[in-house]
Amino acid sequence: MFKLVTRSDLMQAAVIHAESWKASHRDLCSAEFIAIHTPERQRGYLESEIAKGAQLYMLIDTKPVGIVSIQGNLIANLYVLPGEQNKGYGTRLLSFAVQQCKGTPRLWVLSTNTGARRLYGRHGFEPTGSIVQHTHAVYELELRLHLA
């Protein structure tokens, strides 16, 4: 079930974001930088995204397992709890988000996140050529859903 995140369940979404973000960035960031990404800090981040107009959804199976946000045609914050990955939740979140988009869906993904890049590629997302360089070896790349 997909649920629009409200103030009453924002902390659950922030826990998912914090745990998933830490797992996906552990090999890229210092332990100190990882440690500051607490659920409380991520709650503030998600609140700011909602204030900018994003709609944040939580995927609930028997418990909350993932989140995704959509703003116009931009899909962001697609995170699945580390212990719940490789169970189809990412695919469900992505498919739901694509249906919610206004216009051709697009998203950004870290160059080092091979699992996410495979997921997006399997579902028809292709690089646009736009990148944001973060370090010498790490960048984000924009993907857009290829519509046949």
Side-chain angles (χ1 to χ4, degrees):
M1 165 180 82
F2 290 94
K3 179 187 186 314
L4 183 64
V5 173
T6 62
R7 194 167 283 285
S8 66
D9 47 23
L10 186 58
M11 196 60 186
Q12 284 181 310
V15 167
I16 293 168
H17 192 283
E19 288 184 26
S20 304
W21 189 95
K22 286 178 179 186
S24 67
H25 288 73
R26 188 163 282 120
D27 295 335
L28 304 172
C29 303
S30 70
E32 296 78 19
F33 190 65
I34 294 290
I36 67 171
H37 287 79
T38 62
E40 293 76 17
R41 181 175 193 261
Q42 299 316 101
R43 178 184 179 162
Y45 165 74
L46 293 173
E47 282 178 325
S48 72
E49 291 295 294
I50 291 168
K52 293 176 196 171
Q55 291 189 304
L56 178 64
Y57 293 91
M58 187 166 18
L59 174 58
I60 302 170
D61 197 348
T62 56
K63 65 178 184 175
V65 293
I67 60 170
V68 66
S69 66
I70 303 104
Q71 185 172 4
N73 70 335
L74 179 64
I75 298 169
N77 300 303
L78 196 158
Y79 287 101
V80 175
L81 287 169
E84 300 297 331
Q85 293 177 2
N86 299 309
K87 297 180 181 179
Y89 295 128
T91 294
R92 288 176 61 190
L93 284 160
L94 182 61
S95 296
F96 175 81
V98 164
Q99 293 171 9
Q100 305 305 308
C101 284
K102 294 169 179 46
T104 304
R106 63 187 183 87
L107 53 83
W108 291 86
V109 63
L110 278 175
S111 58
T112 56
N113 193 338
T114 55
R117 290 177 67 182
R118 270 194 313 273
L119 171 70
Y120 301 143
R122 280 195 314 264
H123 292 280
F125 281 82
E126 298 177 341
T128 66
S130 295
I131 64 167
V132 174
Q133 197 77 39
H134 292 292
T135 67
H136 174 68
V138 179
Y139 58 92
E140 283 182 276
L141 97 124
E142 184 184 42
L143 304 178
R144 183 182 63 218
L145 183 62
H146 177 73
L147 302 173

